[in-house]
Amino acid sequence: MTMEAFVYADGSVGFPGHHLGLDGEEPVDTIDLSEYTATVVTWTTSTATPPGVRQPNHLAIVEFDLEDHEVDTPVRALGQLTTGDVESGDTVRPVYVDELRDPTVGIKAGSEQEWDGYRFEPISE
């Protein structure tokens, strides 16, 4: 599974990708963000989580620097962390997990939606 961001002709990058960019044009390329590291911009821990979501749930906004992919702007993503032992400015990498939440709990039946995706894991330096 990829963590696919869309690149648009105006140099912007969108994650998650949308079929049209801010300029109304379709994407011209994609970038698999799972191949990059990111920097924690900010983070929080939620202790009152929805049914089926782990407790506590550590979340972060991270920023991917994609200069080597010849895009003008970094792209940010919101996601779960693998641990609460993180600080703003830390470097993280995306790691794939089969279940971000319990698929048997929630409004929709488990078979109606996929719950796999990526969490961000701190990289020891």
Side-chain angles (χ1 to χ4, degrees), residues 32-54:
D32 182 2
L33 296 177
S34 68
E35 298 175 1
Y36 292 84
T37 60
T39 303
V40 174
V41 176
T42 189
W43 63 276
T44 191
T45 297
S46 173
T47 56
T49 61
V53 176
R54 66 188 178 153

Side-chain angles (χ1 to χ4, degrees), residues 1 96-101 113-118:
M1 174 179 191
Y96 177 78
V97 293
D98 290 328
E99 288 183 0
L100 292 172
R101 64 177 295 163
Q113 190 165 345
E114 294 181 15
W115 293 106
D116 63 332
Y118 286 87

Side-chain angles (χ1 to χ4, degrees), residues 66-107:
L66 305 172
E67 284 181 12
D68 63 330
H69 203 7
E70 299 181 13
V71 295
D72 298 333
T73 58
V75 64
R76 289 184 175 184
L78 169 66
Q80 293 180 343
L81 292 161
T82 59
T83 177
D85 188 20
V86 69
E87 296 293 333
S88 296
D90 285 356
T91 301
V92 294
R93 66 183 174 107
V95 291
Y96 177 78
V97 293
D98 290 328
E99 288 183 0
L100 292 172
R101 64 177 295 163
D102 181 351
T104 63
V105 180
I107 297 172

Side-chain angles (χ1 to χ4, degrees), residues 1-17:
M1 174 179 191
T2 62
M3 189 177 181
E4 191 172 66
F6 288 4
V7 180
Y8 302 95
D10 65 359
S12 63
V13 180
F15 178 80

Side-chain angles (χ1 to χ4, degrees), residues 56-70:
N57 191 25
H58 309 291
L59 303 166
I61 295 174
V62 302
E63 185 172 271
F64 291 88
D65 183 0
L66 305 172
E67 284 181 12
D68 63 330
H69 203 7
E70 299 181 13

